[in-house]
Amino acid sequence: MSTTLPRIARTALLVAATALAGCGLTYNAQAVRATAGDDVAVRVVEVTPQTVLLANREPYTPLSLPASFFQQTGLGSGLRGAGALPDAPFVPDARPQTAELRPPPPVSSQPYRLGVGDVVLLSTPQRGGTVEQLSGLLAAQNQRQGYTIRDDGAIAIPEVGTIPLAGLTVEQAESRIFDELVRSQLDPTFSLEVAEFNSQRVSVGGAVATTQFVPIGLTALTLGDAITAVGGITAPQEEFATIRIYRDGTLYEIPLEAYLTRPDLQRTTLVEGDSVFVDTTYDLAQAQAFYEQQINIIGLERGARSAALAELQAEIGLRRGALEEDRELFERQLGLDAIDRDYVFLAGEVAEQSRIPLPFNQQSHLADVLFGAGGIPPASANPAQIYVLRASADPTAFGAVTAWNLDARNAAAITLATRFEMRPNDIIFVAPQPITTWNRALQQLFPTLINLGTAAVN
């Protein structure tokens, strides 16, 4: 009898497991499937250095913090409740010291050398019959192909392969492409031009219309060209403004008055990595020091001097208080979820499924989201199936959802996650390991099997 009962129990468990499987009582795990179903058409794209560039092309500008987070309590801030600062007492020839003229040394003219991010345009002769030649725009599109120089310094041309171009002049690049076309037994007749200059830039900021990077093209970029490109200088008082150029660890200065009257300074040649900043002498600390100096210089009587200083301190205090009030109000609204935010969503086999806000004033990347939320559990998550699900604007289009698949079984692939930019409403999904799915199915199945086996024994 003692050997019969275990045999009966084992038989009952086997019969119960077979019956449950036949009834379809199995554990269903979430997965990304590259099929066009009735509801959603999914297109799976492997994440590579090339496809990262493609995914990042979708335009997105991060939300910005309110202006009060960037303002200083200096002159001209125009905050509500704050009047004009007290006038400085009249003192003959009283003004801040003019900056010294220290222009950067002249640089020799060098031919433009291609770099990472530049886009070159390859034009080939027209082929085909008369009807094809009359197709106009289609023919032009087929004959002019743009190639972006990748992070490895090369472009990839179908039927030719990878051609390194970084560091070459346009003439040298044409020669190298010619040699590769001949080696591949293709027609070497073509022309090459640079469609986008992205590898060499100069930053321009400060008291200008628009702070931005200005690209350096085939011709030398002058200081005047760079300032014109950002909309010109907006300093209200020319005598107090200075153009500062930071190059290779050295700071050069050109007073704005000298720049406006001397064409040779306007023709100053800028080079890759230069930073141009138009600076005015008035910020909070400088304005306060200047006013205090002027009030003390003229020898006002003690009472009048104290009143003037108190007026200055009170006005600056009003401005600072208004800024702090605006910032605190924004932070309270943010805490109550009353501010519009852009979000991404973390799902699947992750430390915690959650909704994650995108940061203000900067791009967020896939690595920021994954590791900022605790990473992925190595024991249960499948590193080969990390997906970024991004919906198309047209839900009826083919590939209405693009699943960008990051295979992180090779840990080096995580570097791609540090460059993959997030977009609002992206869904980051991590699939479970096959053994994880099996273990969870057994965890759900075992209690039922044990009950059935016990009933069979009894």
Side-chain angles (χ1 to χ4, degrees), residues 218-271:
L218 295 178
T219 58
L221 177 65
T222 66
L223 179 58
D225 293 337
I227 290 177
T228 300
V230 298
I233 295 173
T234 58
Q237 294 176 300
E238 296 176 358
E239 66 272 22
F240 298 145
T242 303
I243 302 173
R244 293 183 169 87
I245 303 173
Y246 184 79
R247 175 185 298 171
D248 296 332
T250 302
L251 187 64
Y252 303 96
E253 294 184 346
I254 300 177
L256 181 56
E257 288 184 321
Y259 167 82
L260 295 175
T261 57
R262 290 181 51 178
D264 61 313
L265 295 177
Q266 299 171 19
R267 292 192 296 268
T268 300
T269 300
L270 301 177
V271 298

Side-chain angles (χ1 to χ4, degrees), residues 47 365-368 370-371 406 413-421:
V47 174
H365 298 83
L366 175 58
D368 299 328
L370 285 176
F371 294 97
L406 175 65
I414 298 176
T415 60
L416 297 175
T418 65
R419 294 152 50 192
F420 192 103
E421 296 178 358

Side-chain angles (χ1 to χ4, degrees), residues 430-456:
V430 182
Q433 295 271 16
I435 188 64
T436 302
T437 302
W438 175 244
N439 286 339
R440 290 173 180 168
L442 291 180
Q443 290 174 7
Q444 295 187 7
L445 188 61
F446 273 154
T448 303
L449 293 179
I450 292 172
N451 292 336
L452 290 174
T454 303

Side-chain angles (χ1 to χ4, degrees), residues 334-420:
L334 196 63
L336 295 173
D337 205 13
I339 298 293
D340 288 337
R341 297 294 303 270
D342 290 332
Y343 293 94
V344 296
F345 302 87
L346 197 58
E349 204 63 30
V350 293
E352 181 181 359
Q353 303 194 47
S354 56
R355 182 185 72 168
I356 299 175
L358 293 178
F360 292 101
N361 296 98
Q362 63 179 346
Q363 295 283 358
S364 181
H365 298 83
L366 175 58
D368 299 328
V369 177
L370 285 176
F371 294 97
I376 59 176
S380 59
N382 188 348
Q385 296 189 37
I386 301 174
Y387 295 92
V388 177
L389 306 178
R390 185 171 294 173
S392 168
D394 181 5
T396 63
F398 172 74
V401 173
T402 300
W404 303 93
N405 177 210
L406 175 65
D407 185 348
R409 284 176 294 184
N410 181 355
I414 298 176
T415 60
L416 297 175
T418 65
R419 294 152 50 192
F420 192 103

